[in-house]
Amino acid sequence: MLVLVLDSATPAITAAVVSVGPEPDVTVLAERVTVDARAHGELLAPQIAAVLADVGKAPADLGAVVAGVGPGPFTGLRVGLVTAAALADTLGIPTYAVCSLDGLGAVAGGGTVLVATDARRREVYWAIYRDGVRTTGPHVDRPADVVAVSGQPRDTVDFAVGAGAVLYADVIGVPVRDEPLFPSAGALATLAAARILGGAPSEPLTPLYLRRPDAVEPGARKVVS
Amino acid sequence: MMTDEPLVLGIETSCDETGVGVVRGHSLLADAVASSVDEHARFGGVVPEVASRAHLEAMVPTVHRALTDAGVTLADLDAIAVTAGPGLAGALLVGVGAAKAYALAAGKPLYGVNHLAAHVAVDTLEHGALPEPAIALLVSGGHSSLLRVDHLADGVEPLGATIDDAAGEAFDKVARLLDLGFPGGPPIDRAARDGDAGAIAFPRGLTAPRDLAEHRFDFSFSGLKTAVARWVEARQRAGEPIPVADVAASFQEAVCDVLTAKAIAACRTYGIDTLVIGGGVAANSRIRSMATERAARHDITVRVPRPRLCTDNGAMVAALGAHLVAANVRPSPLDLPADSAMPLTLVTV
Ligand SMILES: [Zn+2]
């Protein structure tokens, strides 16, 4: 089955056409990634058109959409999710949600791995993986606090990956590797493959915001004179 | 595709309303809206992140509702139009992202359009083709502008705008001062019905001769807002009751007086006999009656759509989209950006 994979939870604007099945075959046929934290709204749709053109297929040839649902900075994340939802709804195909950090954790390698992406405001979105499977998180915290808040000793983490780990390598307290830096479309498709092939019901693409909106209720009105 | 009566779906997410409308030429087929206004009420204003979250949740269901109400499918459409700006950046991006996905999946032309021009175009759904040239007065919580419209498909010419608060913002702030709730327009309109509009002489911003020289068609409402606050506070300090109806009526009279006087002056200056009024504040009963009264004296025709079409909605975006399709305007590219400060000279991207 041809599956469209989208992730917009990090500065990497990702669109891929992936062939899923027969089990356990997952093959990325075409992938476009642009790293630009401010261009999700502009570039995601053209990238979808481009990966479809790369494989000579039309939207109607797609059988499912897999979307990374964050956590991620809100504006870009929402672009990916509204795109996935509207596209799938128009085509009458199901959507499947995958935690974007899993798109890193699943391909980071064996052992205990910290995945951290940039949450801005001097914080990171993070999770801990044991042999590719998430055991803690996702959470959002200051980089120096990430492992400690899990109650897990820092020296039990073998290494860290992700743009958040690279950015805060000096304070994160575990060895940092450069790759993978952003969620992998192939990994996201693999994580949803069983649901896709099993014909699981379509899932709501609920964003993992992890933060409440910034808003303060007004106090007593200020006197002007 | 060339057609006089294009079937267009319009998506509007520039502020706190998720609006999706469907029009066929000048006929309104559907006007679905999901509002997050209740979530903003306790903050006394629109919180951008709250609005954007609500847009994402409401988008697909609201499109469904509009298509069902119109009795059409995406495949039937001639084009999809979306507000590209101006507005809240994060909120605009949800609508633009959705519109691109619908256009891509259904294989339809996409028009990223100007929200303010859409406030003008919506009148075609009520009164048919817009006589050109026309003067347009757009007043809401986000904008207060006076425009000259020669050819809506090409762009509009800004004649003036507020130099501080939007008119609707002044309504919100005065409503808060009087404990009337948010948004402030409807409760002030209601309260004013029992009040004396001449009870308190509140200032009319930028109407003194020295201001008119530089700001002939501009507006200012921040001085008015402060004057109302001072008046109310003086009463409170003296331990006297606040005559809410009189304050509301006198404030509303001051706003409507300036707006309509400048709009009529623009018509007369340019020799234009059509005045279109749009935006949320155009739903106010006093601006409608005052504009009609004053325009009649100068043989100017006032066109104000019904209140529901004055506030932000998807039908206005669809109406402008239909106008652009009929005028054979080139569609927008798929990489069209949302532009929170989109200039009025651009009707489409
Ligand atoms: Zn508006």
Side-chain angles (χ1 to χ4, degrees):
Chain A
M1 183 190 292
L2 277 190
V3 175
L4 180 69
V5 180
L6 304 178
D7 193 278
S8 62
T10 73
I13 306 156
T14 300
V17 174
V18 179
S19 163
V20 176
E23 230 165 344
D25 190 39
V26 173
T27 310
V28 176
L29 303 177
E31 183 171 11
R32 299 273 174 132
V33 180
T34 307
V35 180
D36 183 339
R38 303 187 58 82
H40 295 69
E42 285 165 56
L43 299 184
L44 185 62
Q47 287 188 185
I48 296 169
V51 288
L52 284 166
D54 287 346
V55 297
K57 296 291 182 182
D61 297 318
L62 295 169
V65 179
V66 172
V69 294
F74 313 148
T75 301
L77 177 59
R78 272 191 290 267
V79 168
L81 299 187
V82 83
T83 301
L87 209 103
D89 189 58
T90 306
L91 300 171
I93 58 177
T95 54
Y96 298 103
V98 180
C99 170
S100 297
L101 299 179
D102 294 358
L104 285 145
V107 291
T112 301
V113 181
L114 169 69
V115 171
T117 60
D118 186 9
R120 303 187 190 156
R121 301 186 206 171
R122 298 170 183 242
E123 291 187 323
V124 291
Y125 298 112
W126 65 280
I128 292 174
Y129 294 78
R130 177 79 210 161
D131 294 332
V133 177
R134 178 154 40 95
T135 54
T136 300
H139 299 295
V140 60
D141 289 290
R142 289 184 304 168
D145 298 340
V146 290
V147 181
V149 303
S150 72
Q152 184 167 350
R154 201 173 288 265
D155 58 15
T156 62
V157 177
D158 296 313
F159 61 95
V161 298
V166 171
L167 184 60
Y168 296 107
D170 52 338
V171 288
I172 212 142
V174 290
V176 172
R177 292 189 186 170
D178 289 342
E179 294 285 332
L181 201 53
F182 298 114
S184 139
L188 294 171
T190 302
L191 289 162
R195 284 173 277 168
I196 294 167
L197 294 171
S202 184
E203 299 165 356
L205 300 177
T206 307
L208 298 169
Y209 288 124
L210 306 190
R211 281 181 183 140
R212 302 178 72 77
D214 281 329
V216 281
E217 293 186 39
R221 195 175 49 76
K222 284 195 229 64
V223 170
V224 293
S225 53
Chain B
M1 173 193 287
M2 283 282 281
T3 164
D4 284 345
E5 295 220 304
L7 181 66
V8 178
L9 176 125
I11 296 176
E12 151 63 33
T13 63
S14 68
C15 193
D16 61 336
E17 318 265 1
T18 312
V20 183
V22 180
V23 308
R24 192 187 298 279
H26 296 153
S27 306
L28 174 65
L29 303 188
D31 173 21
V33 64
S35 176
S36 58
V37 67
D38 293 343
E39 297 171 53
H40 303 288
R42 66 196 169 102
F43 302 112
V46 174
V47 182
E49 177 61 20
V50 172
S52 298
R53 289 185 182 195
H55 286 312
L56 175 61
E57 279 180 42
M59 182 54 63
V60 170
T62 310
V63 167
H64 270 254
R65 200 142 48 82
L67 290 170
T68 306
D69 290 352
V72 301
T73 66
L74 284 167
D76 300 328
L77 299 174
D78 291 309
I80 289 167
V82 62
T83 300
L88 301 170
L92 288 168
L93 273 169
V94 178
V96 170
K100 288 181 182 186
Y102 285 117
L104 179 64
K108 301 296 177 183
L110 172 70
Y111 288 86
V113 306
N114 189 304
H115 178 88
L116 296 178
H119 269 305
V120 178
V122 74
D123 184 67
T124 60
L125 302 178
E126 184 105 19
H127 299 109
L130 183 72
E132 290 169 330
I135 295 292
L137 171 66
L138 299 185
V139 272
S140 75
H143 22 85
S144 304
S145 304
L146 206 46
L147 321 166
R148 180 187 164 119
V149 184
D150 284 291
H151 298 285
L152 186 54
D154 297 341
V156 297
E157 184 193 338
L159 301 177
T162 182
I163 59 167
D164 41 56
D165 294 353
E169 250 179 297
F171 271 88
D172 290 342
K173 286 172 180 168
V174 168
R176 185 155 172 246
L177 190 72
L178 299 174
D179 278 326
L180 294 175
F182 173 86
I188 286 193
D189 198 346
R190 272 193 302 276
R193 273 175 220 157
D194 304 319
D196 174 4
I200 310 153
F202 286 130
R204 270 71 168 156
L206 302 183
T207 55
R210 64 173 189 284
D211 291 327
L212 283 174
E214 202 187 332
H215 293 291
R216 191 165 185 199
F217 298 127
D218 289 330
F219 305 106
S220 165
F221 298 104
S222 105
L224 168 61
K225 173 194 74 190
T226 307
V228 175
R230 286 217 168 93
W231 194 92
V232 168
E233 283 159 16
R235 280 276 173 140
Q236 284 167 333
R237 267 198 300 274
E240 293 169 40
I242 309 296
V244 171
D246 285 349
V247 174
S250 301
F251 158 77
Q252 176 175 280
E253 195 73 5
V255 175
C256 296
D257 183 17
V258 178
L259 289 171
T260 56
K262 295 207 175 200
I264 301 285
C267 290
R268 298 188 68 201
T269 300
Y270 293 98
I272 292 173
D273 60 8
T274 303
L275 170 63
V276 185
I277 308 182
V281 174
N284 178 275
S285 64
R286 185 58 183 138
I287 198 173
R288 298 168 84 94
S289 64
M290 194 189 277
T292 309
E293 230 168 78
R294 288 182 171 181
R297 277 183 238 149
H298 302 286
D299 288 325
I300 295 163
T301 306
V302 177
R303 294 167 54 126
V304 198
R306 75 194 84 132
R308 175 65 201 99
L309 294 179
C310 290
T311 49
D312 292 350
N313 63 78
M316 69 191 218
V317 178
L320 180 52
H323 186 77
L324 296 173
V325 173
N328 213 17
V329 172
R330 174 178 53 80
S332 306
L334 207 51
D335 67 351
L336 98 97
D339 181 356
S340 58
M342 189 171 181
L344 272 162
T345 43
L346 274 184
V347 159
T348 185
V349 183

